[in-house]
Amino acid sequence: MKFIRQTYESFRFAWQALRSNLLRTTLSLLGVTIGIFAIIAVFTIVDSLERNIKDSLSGIGDKVMYIQKWPWGFGGEYQWWKYFQRPEPSLDEFKFLSEKLERAQAVVAMDFRGQVTVKNGNNSILALIQGTSFEYNKISEVPVEQGRYFSQQEIDAARNVSIIGADIAETLFPGQDPVGKEFKLNGLKYVVIGVQQRKGASLLDFGGNPDTKCLIPIGAFAKMYHSVYPSIDIAVKGFETDEGLLELESEVRGVMRARRGLKPMQDDNFALNRPEAAAQAISGLFAVLTVAGWVIGSFSILVGGFGIANIMFVSVKERTNIIGIQKSLGAKNYVILFQFLFEAVFLSLIGGGVGILLVYLLSFMKLGSLEIILSPANILLGIGVSSIIGTVSGILPALVAARLDPVIAIRSK
């Protein structure tokens, strides 16, 4: 009980000391405030960016690989001259893969055309037109809020039907139920069979913003566009049990090489692209940004730590006489140590708390479509770093105060 009481007295004494020198306290905690703000702000923005981009990547499918002409490039020299003469994936190859692949859960053909005007009377909007095959909803979410998804017969017959995004529905059919109504695309009438839920634009809209997307059967898409550019992307989704997709990747490579008649010594003339590679590249980039945040914040925290240490040495000098009186009345060394150490930690925690508060206020700002969220982990990190800085900065002045000779200390002025 005596130890607890003395510890409480140390806390109270430290708090009174900080309050009695409010201006000095405020000035000394600025360095820690700026440092913690810099570190936690960078961490919070990096975490928010990474979450936003990975959410966007999830829109192009989990356990999915894309068969394309061009490989995805993430840093380094992109050797485009090796790829530009490759043949484009075709609908015939999509059908061949659909028949031959045994380890695939779904094989999907898709193609895109951006900034295409769709009309209904005097209402019009620029849309992203995407042709898809029937199993598209197995590789990417298609949350139909009104109406329904495509039927196999509609896809096979290449009928002029469409699933439209929320922005398209509101623009072309204001105040109406769009399902069953017609709109014009390239002069052709299309019937709305479904409307997707509103999602909103994300930082990186891989596959396009669903709110301005118009899904149609791949056959209908081919009739409009493939006479000029007969190319598609082929997506292959593996089963949940195939963790690495290695067996599926080997099977796809073998079937594609056989379809294109490649000899054993010839290189692949197609690319197998996987979203996991993009996620790994993004994680590497954000790791560099995280290190940069530590470096930037560490300089400010270092300055703040020196400031706290300097203030604590001044406090020891100012209160030497009081320390002597406390010791002569029976105060133990650890009581004096705790008084000054608690004062330094309090000072640092207040500075860190203000820095965290500034980051929290920053989270109310909208940076385009990026939503900034201050996570509990980053809050704990800020508190932990502040506590460590306070302890390191205050330990030496506290030890000096605890080791003062009471007789010499009382005589000091």
Side-chain angles (χ1 to χ4, degrees), residues 257 262-267:
R257 288 180 64 87
L262 296 176
K263 296 178 182 179
M265 299 304 293
Q266 288 181 296
D267 293 333

Side-chain angles (χ1 to χ4, degrees), residues 160-222:
N160 288 2
V161 293
S162 177
I163 299 173
I164 60 177
D167 285 350
I168 299 175
E170 289 182 3
T171 302
L172 298 188
F173 308 100
Q176 305 175 50
D177 181 0
V179 178
K181 293 185 170 58
E182 295 180 341
F183 66 93
K184 284 191 175 182
L185 166 61
N186 279 358
L188 300 175
K189 291 183 179 180
Y190 276 76
V191 177
V192 178
I193 62 169
V195 180
Q196 291 197 60
Q197 293 177 2
R198 177 174 296 282
K199 179 182 179 183
S202 61
L203 187 65
L204 294 176
D205 282 321
F206 290 95
N209 179 6
D211 295 342
T212 57
K213 183 185 288 187
C214 180
L215 297 177
I216 64 175
I218 188 66
F221 185 96

Side-chain angles (χ1 to χ4, degrees), residues 29-37 40 301 308 345-359 378-379 381-387 389:
L29 61 82
L30 280 177
V32 176
T33 297
I34 295 170
I36 293 298
F37 172 77
I40 303 305
I301 286 181
I308 291 174
V345 172
F346 277 165
L347 198 60
S348 186
L349 280 175
I350 292 171
V354 174
I356 293 171
L357 177 61
L358 292 175
V359 177
N378 284 333
I379 294 174
L381 176 64
I383 294 173
V385 171
S386 301
S387 301
I389 293 299

Side-chain angles (χ1 to χ4, degrees), residues 68-70 86-90 93 229-233 260:
Q68 297 170 312
K69 174 180 177 177
W70 301 92
R86 289 178 171 181
E88 299 279 357
S90 66
E93 289 175 335
Y229 192 66
S231 168
I232 62 169
D233 291 335
R260 293 190 172 182

